[in-house]
Amino acid sequence: MDAVTTVSVSLIDALVLRGTGSALEVLLLQRGPHGRCPGSWEVVHGHIEEGETPADAALREVREETGLEPERFYNLSRVELFYQHRTDSVAMVPVFVAFVAPDGAVRLGTEHVAAEWLAPAEARQRCAWAREARALDDAIRMLGSGDAGTTEDVLRIC
């Protein structure tokens, strides 16, 4: 039988934001020299562990990679696709948004060497992955005021 490309929901992306409107900032993390994509600036992302929902995985990854506790957490109602040529698989990547306290101190996990809070325009330019910049545009449009407005009841997870 010929090989068949698989499709799975195995990864998540989570944008970490603080502030609102013109004071909105985006947290980007710089990857360390010994993992994949050394030196790249990225949003929080990671693998969904067995038994986790994508939302559970996103919350865990935000906590692990930043040490921050979300005050509000949203489903961005967006799924990115990422083709992984080494495994001939397509990953569906649900995207989430975590709003954190303006004075929260970032505590980096082992994968990253630096963290910076950036204005959205600068974050878009610095993101290593185009999918993250696209998701950021949606996050600003839908949640830039600090909540989801008329869609709050559908998008807010906690």
Side-chain angles (χ1 to χ4, degrees):
M1 179 173 189
D2 291 332
V4 177
T5 302
T6 60
V7 178
S8 66
V9 179
S10 59
L11 302 167
I12 59 85
D13 281 346
L15 295 118
V16 179
L17 306 177
R18 69 180 183 187
T20 60
S22 63
L24 187 71
E25 292 181 303
V26 181
L27 181 65
L28 291 187
L29 306 175
Q30 186 178 37
R31 296 198 58 86
H34 303 295
R36 69 160 180 77
C37 305
S40 65
W41 287 91
E42 304 175 345
V43 302
V44 169
H45 59 255
H47 290 271
I48 300 169
E49 295 179 356
E50 188 171 335
E52 280 185 318
T53 66
D56 291 339
L59 278 169
R60 176 183 50 76
E61 290 287 351
V62 167
R63 292 171 179 139
E64 287 178 2
E65 293 186 8
T66 71
L68 297 169
E69 185 63 34
E71 292 183 332
R72 292 178 317 285
F73 189 65
Y74 293 90
N75 166 13
L76 192 56
S77 187
R78 176 184 190 93
V79 176
E80 289 285 341
L81 299 175
F82 182 79
Y83 178 67
Q84 298 170 304
H85 63 274
R86 290 186 178 111
T87 59
D88 189 30
S89 62
V90 175
M92 297 176 69
V93 185
V95 183
F96 300 89
V97 176
F99 278 91
V100 299
D103 58 351
V106 175
R107 288 188 331 268
L108 294 175
T110 59
E111 299 173 45
H112 303 99
V113 294
E116 283 194 44
W117 288 102
L118 302 168
E122 188 177 354
R124 271 189 219 95
Q125 292 301 311
R126 196 172 306 178
C127 284
W129 300 99
R131 75 174 193 263
E132 295 175 352
R134 289 189 302 263
L136 180 54
D137 289 340
D138 277 359
I140 292 164
R141 189 176 74 70
M142 296 169 68
L143 300 165
S145 67
D147 64 36
T150 59
T151 59
E152 181 83 1
D153 64 322
V154 174
L155 297 182
R156 186 161 177 176
I157 297 171
C158 61

